[in-house]
């Protein structure tokens, strides 16, 4: 039996904390998105090229590669540079400083912990006009 392709937008959720990943995934799935959960920076770098997501929700603190470094590598890759990214951080000053020269239309950040409403609003904004 052939599987029909999903018409739902695919979002990669990257967080090394299982509970945080589950919470994010649940909120996104409940709002009609297809979710692929990942726990490390290396996983997102390879999966982003394979899955071609509409958006990546990326925690800054990861066990193998920092979220900022993952962001930089995604932006340097001609295939993944157009994917909007929602960064999650407990330290917004670090994000502002590191990404000061990058146009904000290609990314947003949320301070952890954040409300589901804020997550969904940021996701919608990035999906509507976040691509370069």
């Amino acid at each position: 039996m052939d599987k029909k392709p999903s018409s739902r937008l695919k979002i990669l959720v990257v967080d090394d904390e299982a509970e945080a990943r589950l919470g994010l995934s649940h909120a996104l799935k409940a709002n009609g998105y297809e979710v692929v959960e990942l726990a490390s920076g290396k996983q997102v770098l390879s999966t982003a090229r394979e899955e071609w997501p509409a958006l990546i929700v990326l925690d800054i603190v990861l066990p193998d590669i920092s979220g900022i470094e993952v962001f930089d590598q995604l932006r340097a890759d001609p295939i993944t540079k157009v994917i909007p990214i929602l960064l999650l951080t407990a330290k917004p000053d670090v994000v502002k400083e590191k990404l000061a020269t990058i146009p904000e239309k290609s990314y947003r950040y949320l301070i952890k912990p954040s409300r589901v409403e804020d997550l969904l609003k940021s996701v919608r904004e990035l999906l509507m006009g976040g691509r370069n």
Side-chain angles (χ1 to χ4, degrees):
M1 178 183 246
D2 290 333
K3 285 177 68 177
K4 286 177 66 176
S6 174
S7 61
R8 298 182 308 158
L9 294 175
K10 184 180 297 182
I11 298 177
L12 299 185
V13 172
V14 188
D15 197 313
D16 62 321
E17 296 177 22
E19 285 185 31
R21 228 178 20 252
L22 181 63
L24 292 165
S25 294
H26 178 73
L28 293 167
K29 288 176 183 177
N31 282 273
Y33 298 105
E34 180 181 346
V35 177
V36 175
E37 295 181 31
L38 304 170
S40 75
K42 287 180 184 175
Q43 287 177 318
V44 74
L45 291 172
S46 62
T47 305
R49 291 179 128 253
E50 296 167 9
E51 297 285 339
W52 193 251
L55 176 76
I56 299 171
V57 177
L58 177 63
D59 188 21
I60 293 297
V61 178
L62 297 171
D64 55 348
I65 305 172
S66 80
I68 295 292
E69 188 175 329
V70 171
F71 180 92
D72 289 342
Q73 289 185 40
L74 290 168
R75 288 295 173 255
D77 184 327
I79 293 173
T80 60
K81 73 179 183 179
V82 297
I83 301 171
I85 298 174
L86 176 58
L87 298 163
L88 303 176
T89 182
K91 300 176 182 178
D93 293 340
V94 172
V95 173
K96 287 180 188 177
E97 180 182 321
K98 296 278 188 184
L99 305 179
T101 61
I102 297 172
E104 197 171 329
K105 70 178 185 174
S106 67
Y107 80 95
R108 296 273 190 291
Y109 70 88
L110 281 179
I111 300 169
K112 287 174 79 173
S114 61
R115 298 176 328 145
V116 171
E117 296 83 9
D118 295 334
L119 167 73
L120 296 173
K121 179 181 179 209
S122 294
V123 164
R124 282 191 300 274
E125 287 174 355
L126 282 165
L127 290 173
M128 296 286 288
R131 292 184 188 267
N132 288 334

